[in-house]
Amino acid sequence: GKCEDYLKTLKFKRYFIFRPGYIYPSNKQKKRKVWFYLILEFIFPVMDLILPWYCIKSEDLARKMLNISISNSVSKTLENIEIRNSSGF
């Protein structure tokens, strides 16, 4: 939206805008969880298989963001499926 349009007007040599879908936390929280997150924890593996364009693990997202930012890629906006399909692990 507006923030992305503003970032594009700045004079950076390169920029990357990441648009992940649902970010599944990779590390287990020891705090009491809300029922909604307990359900998502149970169904995430199924979502990951059926809707790979919609969700990504936080650890995978962090790796992909780092690898994309240090690559020689041109500036662009990356949707969740492009983030998942990017090279470098």
Side-chain angles (χ1 to χ4, degrees), residues 5 8 10 16-17 22 29 32 34-35 40 42-43 49 52 56-57 63 74 77 80-81:
D5 292 339
K8 291 175 185 178
L10 299 177
F16 299 99
I17 297 172
Y22 170 68
Q29 298 291 328
R32 188 178 135 190
V34 180
W35 65 269
L40 284 176
F42 178 72
I43 64 171
L49 288 174
I56 189 167
K57 291 181 183 176
R63 277 194 199 110
V74 295
T77 300
N80 194 67
I81 196 69

Side-chain angles (χ1 to χ4, degrees), residues 21-26 39-61 64 80-81 83-85 89:
Y22 170 68
I23 302 171
Y24 178 75
S26 297
I39 292 170
L40 284 176
E41 186 176 303
F42 178 72
I43 64 171
F44 177 77
V46 176
M47 285 176 53
D48 196 33
L49 288 174
I50 297 172
L51 305 168
W53 60 89
Y54 184 72
C55 52
I56 189 167
K57 291 181 183 176
S58 60
E59 189 175 290
D60 294 344
L61 176 61
K64 296 290 186 167
N80 194 67
I81 196 69
I83 298 167
R84 285 181 62 120
N85 291 338
F89 243 118

Side-chain angles (χ1 to χ4, degrees), residues 2 8 10 20 30-31 36 45 50 76 80 86:
K2 290 181 181 181
K8 291 175 185 178
L10 299 177
K30 294 184 180 181
K31 298 177 184 175
F36 179 73
I50 297 172
K76 61 178 158 180
N80 194 67
S86 66

